[in-house]
């Protein structure tokens, strides 16, 4: 039985509000509605999300579709980028490139990739100790987890293909059983 790592779907970007409070867009809600078909199976008895609104919203949509009540875990949060807050897309992409390229360094005050990786690995190991789980989190920490599950160095090449993507893994063998795939809008 697999566990699933699902990223939140598309969000409403509001530079005036904290990133953690951004919710799902209309398209994001539609994509999240399709996630139950690819990010859950009957052996999965728990859905756990980060404490960020976009992940909570995604988890709630999936959980409602499969008859579960989701829970949250702050350790599943996205990389801490509070040092810069919102950045315009072009600037943001450059900082993300540097984050993955120099995992042992803090880029512009952001959490280091090696620290975020250790945090997400510990959280996922703890959450899957008692059985398979659907985890709803964020793309960058998903890429960091995927690198560890594959036994390869941190790389942006492992980043999700778009918001609302999923991969499966075997927590007992600690290995990825798929790569990323984008959740289809039903």
């Amino acid at each position: 039985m697999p566990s699933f790592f699902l990223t939140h779907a598309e969000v409403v970007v509001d530079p005036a509000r904290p990133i953690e409070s951004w919710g799902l867009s209309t398209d994001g809600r539609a994509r999240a509605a399709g996630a139950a078909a690819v990010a859950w199976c009957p052996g999965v008895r728990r859905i756990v999300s980060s404490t960020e609104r976009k992940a909570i919203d995604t988890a709630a949509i999936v959980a409602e579709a499969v008859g579960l009540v989701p829970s949250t875990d702050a350790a599943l949060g996205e990389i801490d980028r509070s040092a810069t807050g919102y950045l315009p897309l072009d600037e943001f992409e450059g900082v993300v490139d540097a984050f993955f390229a120099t995992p042992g360094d803090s880029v512009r005050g952001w959490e280091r990739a090696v620290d975020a990786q250790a945090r997400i690995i510990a959280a996922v190991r703890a959450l899957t100790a008692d059985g398979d789980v659907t985890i709803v989190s964020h793309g960058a920490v998903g890429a960091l987890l995927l690198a560890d599950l594959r036994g390869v160095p941190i790389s942006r090449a492992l980043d999700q293909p778009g918001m609302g993507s999923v991969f499966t893994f075997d927590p007992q063998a600690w290995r990825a059983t798929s790569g990323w795939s984008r959740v289809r809008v039903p």
Side-chain angles (χ1 to χ4, degrees):
M1 187 87 42
S3 281
F4 299 88
F5 189 96
L6 172 67
T7 64
H8 64 79
E10 294 89 344
V11 300
V12 175
V13 175
D14 183 353
R17 295 182 57 204
I19 296 165
E20 300 80 16
S21 70
W22 293 354
L24 295 179
S25 67
T26 301
D27 289 345
R29 288 190 170 285
R31 187 172 310 283
V38 295
W40 180 84
C41 62
V44 172
R45 292 183 177 84
R46 293 183 304 144
I47 298 174
V48 184
S49 77
S50 91
T51 56
E52 297 183 31
R53 176 91 266 140
K54 52 197 165 248
I56 290 170
D57 290 350
T58 301
I61 292 168
V62 174
E64 182 177 352
V66 301
L68 295 175
V69 176
S71 60
T72 61
D73 185 330
L76 297 175
E78 182 59 286
I79 55 174
D80 180 355
R81 24 185 233 257
S82 58
T84 60
Y86 170 81
L87 295 173
L89 186 58
D90 289 346
E91 187 177 358
F92 174 77
E93 290 297 329
V95 178
V96 173
D97 286 343
F99 168 84
F100 281 105
T102 57
D105 297 336
S106 173
V107 179
R108 294 189 55 185
W110 285 15
E111 180 179 22
R112 298 180 322 153
V114 293
D115 297 331
Q117 184 182 51
R119 172 177 51 79
I120 194 68
I121 290 167
V124 171
R125 283 190 180 273
L127 289 168
T128 58
D130 295 327
D132 290 307
V133 179
T134 293
I135 293 167
V136 182
S137 187
H138 309 274
V141 292
L144 298 172
L145 176 64
L146 188 57
D148 192 70
L149 289 164
R150 289 185 173 172
V152 299
I154 291 170
S155 168
R156 184 142 195 211
L158 297 173
D159 203 358
Q160 66 179 341
M163 293 181 192
S165 293
V166 62
F167 68 81
T168 57
F169 65 100
D170 178 340
Q172 303 309 313
W174 199 251
R175 68 178 180 83
T177 54
S178 78
W180 287 110
S181 62
R182 191 102 192 265
V183 174
R184 294 183 189 273
V185 175

